[in-house]
Structures are given as C-alpha cells and as structure tokens.
Amino acid sequence: MNMTQFAARSGRFLSVLILLGYGVLVVYPLTWTLISSFKTTEEFYASPFALPQSLNFDNYVQAFERAQIGDYFINSIFVTVLSLAVCNILGFAAAYVITRYRFTFLQVLKRFYIGALFFPVAFSIVPLFMLLNRIHLLDSLVGLSLVYAVSAIPFTIYLLTGFLASIPKDYEESAKIDGCSLFGILFRIIAPMAKPGIITITIFNVMNFWNEYIYALSFITTESKRTLTLGLAYLMEVQRYATDWGALFAGLVVVMVPTLIVYALLQNRITAGLNMGGLKG
Amino acid sequence: MKHRERNLFIAACTLPALALFATFTLYPFGKAVVMAFYDWSGLSENPVFTGLKNFRTLWQDDIVWQALKNNIFLLLVVPILTMAISLLFAALLTQKRLTGKSIYRTVFFFPNVLSIVVISVLWSFVYHPTFGILNSLLEMIGLQEWTRAWLGDSSTVLWAIAFPMIWQSVGYYMIIYIAAIEGIPADIYEAASIDGASGVTQFRRLTVPLIWSVMRITIVFFLIGVFNGSFAYIKVMTNAGPNHGSEVLMTYMYSQAFNNGNFGYAMAVGVFLLLITISLALLSEKLTERDSVEY
C-alpha cells in the first residue's frame, strides 16, 4: 500500500468515525427519552442509563389522565388543520395569479411577500397580541390558527410560484377555448397538476404549525385551549417541582411520534422541497 | 366583459391573502415600530408620545447591555459553528466511496423536524445536574470535577443553549449544501484530481468558492433563525436565568411587555434588536462579498 492509498483509506476511516459519532449524538438523547418514558420514578433515580425492569405504561396513563395530553393533542390537530386550510387555499390562489397574470400591483405584491420571508416574526408579537385582544380573538384557537396561517402565507406563495411557473400554459389555453371559467381552470386544471408542489408546502406548513410555540404561549391563556407544545412546556414547569418525570417523558414521546411518522414516510419529499423552495431567492 | 371577469378573478385570488397579510403582519410590524416612541403600560391606558425617552432608558439599562452581549454571542457562535459543521458533513457525504450516505442524511436531518419545545425539554435533561446524561457521562469516565449545573451556571449557560440550537439546524443546512455541491459538474473535480489536488485542497479551492453564493444566502437564514429561535429555547430551558445570565433582547422584550406591562419600552427593545440583526445581516453581506465564481 502506497502513501496516497493509505491517506485515502485513513481519510475515509476518519469520515466514518465523525459521521458515526454525530449519529450517536442525534439518536441517543431520543432513545434515552423513549426508554425513560417506560421507567418508574424509582428506576429513573436509581440509574438514568439502565433499561427499565418491565414496560411500564403508567407514565402514559398519567400523561393522558392528569396532564390532559389527549386534549392538547386534539387542540393541536384543530389548529394545524384550520391554519393549513386557510393558508393553502389563499396561498395557492394568490400564487397562481402572481405567476400567470400581469397587473398593476404585481411587483409591489411580490416584494411584500419576498420581504416577509426575511422578517423575524417574534418582533411584532406585542402589537399582534393587542390586535387579537381588540378583535376578540385572543385566547382563541381560531385566532391562533389565523395568525399561523398568515405567518406561513409568504413562504407558501414563494414555494408555489416557483412550482407553478414550471407548469406549461397550454392546458389553460385549451380549457379557456372550451369555455371553462377562470375559477374552473384554477381548481379543476391547475390544482391537480400542482399536486406535488401543494403536497410539499403542506408538509412544511403542518410541521411548522404542529411545532409552533411562541405564538401559542403568548396568545393562549386558558388551560383547556393549550396546544401540545404549550402543554409540554407547562408539564415541564410542573414536574420540575413535583419531581415526577415519567409523565413528562411520556408527553415528549407523544409529541414526537407523529412528527417521526410523517418524517419517516415523507423524508424524501421534505428534503427535496427544501431545495425546491428553500434557497432559490 | 372578458376584462371585467379577469379583474374580478385577480382580485378574488389576491385580496383575501393580502388583507390577512396586511392585518396580521404589516400592521403589527408598523405598530411595533411606532409604539417604541410611546409610553404605554397596560392595555386600557392611552399611550403618551414620549419621543426618544424609551431609547434613552434603554441606553442606561444594564440588563439591555447584558442581553445584547448574550445576543451577539448567540448570533456569532451558532451561525459559525452550524455552518462549519454542516459544511463538513456535506463535504463528507458527497464523497463518492462511502456507504450509508442516505442513512446519515436521514438521521442528521431529523432534529430539524422536531419542535423547539421538545428539543429544549430533551436537552434540559441532558444538562440536568443530578441525573442528566452529560454529568453522568463525565462521572463515568472519571471527570467528576467537570460536572456542574450547566444551565444554572452563568459561565456555561450560553454554550449549553447554543449547542441544541446547532444540533437542530445542522441537518437543514447540510441538505442545502449537499444539493449545492451536487450541482457542481463532476468534470471539474476530475480535472482537479488529475492535477493531483487532494480532497482537502479540492474542498477549499473548488467546493467552497463554487457554492459561496449559497453559503452567503444561508447566513441571512442563520441570523433570522437565531433571532426567532433563541427565544423559545431560552424560555423553556432557563427562562433567561440564572440572574439574566441567558437573557437576550427577545426574552427581555417579552418580559417587559407581558410581565411588567411596559409595552412601549418593550417595543423599543424590539426595535433595537431588529436594528442589530439588520446591521449584522448587512455586515455579513459586505464581509462575504467576493467575485462570484461560475461554472
């Protein structure tokens, strides 16, 4: 073996070592949480690293019964679905007109949405709080959904315009000749053709809405209206003093599992979508 | 008639989104800036215009400067380390002869889809003083004297918060850099290999210049990410403690508004933070300016 071969081989060995090391750093905390969620408090204190004696589902029962994780789960689903519906429908219609039509305020409109992509949401949280208070949408899941939907509209439009521009115009031309209405074209012809783009943006939006925390923390005060992330953060506060960590670990797993499933099923679409819309700007 | 239908259609498609966008994004943004010049405590009282008074208070507020220091720490450390690590992984994972590339990509990207709250809670346990993974690990390998309350010690708390932020975003930027690297035509590398350039040299002299434009765009993303993200991490992990040790301008703005009811002052802090982030973005634009390399 000559020097270059040796260098190449040790280089590859070093790469694998680094990659494996980082892999452990990602996977271990997650498995540790999963394992801990099946432990009794005594087992947990005895050794944080050991496996539990038996699969103990008490923590999950606790999380659902005492900590109402189930209710929070339903709230999160409600908010995610409602904001998704509003954001996708409005975003899709706007993106279509922006790509296909030339009109007076087109450039202004485009600039607004592009600018909003680089806009730190957290900045306007106080005025938003006051606005919601004035229109009686504070401490309301509908109000929260509206805020979510609007916050995602710029990126939705941005990603969909990129996608719609790649669809050939011929179909619309012939549909127009056949006397199809403009709305008919939008929903019956364009929407099915834009399906891959719509699916990609849906994944992005669902992940964002499902995981959001700052808005929920600021705008939701009633306990029964908490979303999952909010409930989890409160559970953390409570358990800090109760020192009964089991329910918290179970709560963590309950929040993570849907994300994990979506990720496992759609991973390729997520990373492809990232490159599709993520960085062309 | 045709023309009218067209205009109606355009309006019907764009106006609902625009109306919501104006109400829930543009208006609060403008309002936030304006409020920074008012004295306004509480929801019911009328705001009083006070000019630059909030900014003068801010100038003399020690916590603001402490928070600014912490902010700048995070705005520098998190982007630089994230970029370095994700670039390294992107380079490693675009090597030709390496097995299991897609598994690494899948695993490394996963933290990015997790909620920040989940990650914060998770890492609070990694750092927990008595049964946390980190301290237990240090004890196991005989480094007892290194153990500490990572989040309760003002000398380590910022690093302890920076780390999960990096952990979460490395996968995201890795994917972006991988796509950029894969977009470089293979024959460029072949020519370099024939000329005898080593892997490291190729990375430095070819890959980095060729994906430089993508790297520049990601810097803005990094800054926004830290601006928005640091709040949630800190809120869950330390609540700005110990003794403002992990206070950033965002958390300070938040507590001034929602805990103390100083809405005007809170927005002055917000405007201050916004100005700093914008200047950092412009500064990084300037610093990274190079002649772009095309292939």
Side-chain angles (χ1 to χ4, degrees):
Chain A
M1 183 159 70
N2 63 30
M3 266 325 271
T4 18
Q5 268 178 316
F6 176 75
R9 206 166 290 179
S10 51
R12 227 174 304 139
F13 178 72
L14 193 66
S15 324
V16 172
L17 208 67
I18 294 171
L19 293 170
L20 279 179
Y22 195 76
V24 171
L25 198 62
V26 171
V27 173
Y28 185 71
L30 301 170
T31 32
W32 185 80
T33 309
L34 184 66
I35 292 168
S36 301
S37 74
F38 292 111
K39 285 176 163 180
T40 63
T41 310
E42 293 74 41
E43 281 176 329
F44 185 71
Y45 276 111
S47 164
F49 291 116
L51 290 173
Q53 298 294 323
S54 60
L55 278 188
N56 176 358
F57 282 92
D58 284 358
N59 293 328
Y60 287 88
V61 176
Q62 278 250 344
F64 276 94
E65 278 181 357
R66 282 238 302 266
Q68 287 141 6
I69 285 285
D71 295 349
Y72 302 157
F73 204 94
I74 292 167
N75 289 343
S76 271
I77 290 178
F78 175 82
V79 170
T80 304
V81 170
L82 182 59
S83 14
L84 187 70
V86 174
C87 177
N88 273 17
I89 292 171
L90 298 186
F92 172 64
Y96 173 69
V97 170
I98 286 173
T99 14
R100 283 293 202 264
Y101 287 82
R102 297 284 156 265
F103 53 97
T104 326
F105 295 108
L106 178 67
Q107 292 309 325
V108 183
L109 208 58
K110 269 188 180 167
R111 207 160 296 157
F112 267 153
Y113 290 129
I114 293 280
L117 283 179
F118 296 96
F119 174 71
V121 282
F123 174 66
S124 51
I125 211 146
V126 174
L128 209 47
F129 175 89
M130 292 170 168
L131 176 71
L132 289 173
N133 186 49
R134 200 165 349 130
I135 57 178
H136 302 290
L137 282 176
L138 199 63
D139 196 23
S140 135
L141 290 177
V142 174
L144 187 65
S145 310
L146 262 181
V147 172
Y148 282 2
V150 178
S151 72
I153 278 182
F155 185 66
T156 306
I157 291 180
Y158 172 65
L159 195 138
L160 286 178
T161 44
F163 191 84
L164 288 168
S166 67
I167 296 176
K169 286 182 187 153
D170 314 357
Y171 300 92
E172 289 152 85
E173 304 291 336
S174 49
K176 235 175 249 173
I177 293 165
D178 291 346
C180 190
S181 78
L182 293 176
F183 279 105
I185 292 175
L186 177 61
F187 288 109
R188 279 208 298 272
I189 293 172
I190 297 298
M193 290 180 68
K195 216 166 135 197
I198 293 175
I199 292 174
T200 304
I201 192 64
T202 301
I203 300 168
F204 269 86
N205 286 341
V206 165
M207 295 275 190
N208 276 337
F209 301 152
W210 187 258
N211 290 334
E212 206 284 333
Y213 175 64
I214 306 181
Y215 286 140
L217 174 73
S218 317
F219 303 148
I220 299 295
T221 44
T222 309
E223 206 178 313
S224 62
K225 289 179 192 162
R226 283 176 191 161
T227 57
L228 257 185
T229 50
L230 207 49
L232 196 66
Y234 275 102
L235 201 58
M236 167 103 175
E237 278 305 302
V238 173
Q239 304 296 11
R240 198 172 266 171
Y241 303 105
T243 61
D244 168 23
W245 302 101
L248 181 58
F249 288 120
L252 270 177
V253 174
V254 172
V255 182
M256 269 195 288
V257 162
T259 337
L260 185 63
I261 293 172
V262 171
Y263 183 61
L265 292 176
L266 301 170
Q267 187 244 333
N268 286 330
R269 268 189 192 280
I270 296 174
T271 44
L274 198 77
N275 291 316
M276 180 160 112
L279 266 184
K280 294 250 174 69
Chain B
M1 189 59 217
K2 203 81 194 158
H3 195 69
R4 222 181 118 212
E5 192 202 343
R6 178 181 176 273
N7 283 345
L8 265 176
F9 178 71
I10 292 176
C13 285
T14 52
L15 287 184
L18 186 64
L20 284 178
F21 179 71
T23 316
F24 289 97
T25 303
L26 291 182
Y27 167 76
F29 182 79
K31 182 92 180 167
V33 176
V34 171
M35 269 169 64
F37 299 94
Y38 280 81
D39 190 3
W40 193 1
S41 34
L43 287 169
S44 49
E45 282 172 58
N46 283 325
V48 183
F49 182 78
T50 51
L52 290 171
K53 182 171 159 273
N54 286 330
F55 291 95
R56 276 198 293 273
T57 315
L58 183 146
W59 196 255
Q60 283 152 4
D61 188 339
D62 290 340
I63 301 172
V64 166
W65 295 103
Q66 160 101 30
L68 178 65
K69 235 174 61 199
N70 296 342
N71 248 128
I72 290 182
F73 176 90
L74 291 177
L75 283 167
L76 288 178
V77 165
V78 175
I80 289 173
L81 286 181
T82 312
M83 189 182 238
I85 297 171
S86 44
L87 207 54
L88 171 72
F89 290 160
L92 294 181
L93 290 174
T94 44
Q95 296 176 104
K96 268 197 222 89
R97 293 200 288 166
L98 188 80
T99 44
K101 277 187 233 180
S102 65
I103 299 174
Y104 291 121
R105 286 186 205 193
T106 308
V107 171
F108 291 3
F109 187 78
F110 181 64
N112 197 257
V113 298
L114 287 176
S115 165
I116 290 181
V117 175
V118 170
I119 296 173
S120 305
V121 176
L122 205 71
W123 280 88
S124 300
F125 285 107
V126 172
Y127 295 131
H128 197 279
T130 46
F131 52 77
I133 300 177
L134 187 55
N135 278 353
S136 312
L137 203 72
L138 287 172
E139 275 166 28
M140 223 152 64
I141 56 173
L143 290 170
Q144 275 89 348
E145 64 272 28
W146 287 24
T147 61
R148 64 183 71 212
W150 299 94
L151 291 171
D153 187 329
S154 54
S155 64
T156 51
V157 65
L158 284 178
W159 283 102
I161 287 165
F163 200 77
M165 293 179 79
I166 298 166
W167 185 81
Q168 190 214 20
S169 49
V170 156
Y172 182 91
Y173 294 102
M174 178 193 78
I175 297 287
I176 287 172
Y177 295 147
I178 285 177
I181 293 174
E182 282 175 345
I184 300 172
D187 48 343
I188 295 184
Y189 285 104
E190 276 158 28
S193 295
I194 292 167
D195 291 344
S198 73
V200 177
T201 316
Q202 286 183 24
F203 177 74
R204 267 198 17 237
R205 307 293 294 275
L206 278 179
T207 313
V208 170
L210 286 173
I211 67 166
W212 189 253
S213 60
V214 173
M215 286 169 63
R216 284 186 66 186
I217 302 169
T218 54
I219 293 175
V220 182
F221 282 43
F222 284 130
L223 296 176
I224 302 169
V226 174
F227 188 119
N228 284 332
S230 58
F231 174 75
Y233 285 102
I234 292 169
K235 190 87 190 142
V236 178
M237 289 174 79
T238 63
N239 205 4
N243 191 23
H244 301 293
S246 58
E247 189 87 75
V248 289
L249 290 168
M250 204 27 233
T251 53
Y252 192 54
M253 174 190 109
Y254 198 88
S255 68
Q256 279 297 333
F258 292 112
N259 303 344
N260 301 357
N262 295 329
F263 291 101
Y265 186 55
M267 288 335 301
V269 175
V271 168
F272 186 53
L273 173 57
L274 193 65
L275 288 177
I276 284 164
T277 313
I278 292 172
S279 359
L280 266 179
L282 294 177
L283 188 71
S284 71
E285 281 276 289
K286 263 266 158 308
L287 287 178
T288 56
E289 214 165 44
R290 287 189 193 177
D291 293 330
S292 68
V293 185
E294 307 270 337
Y295 42 79

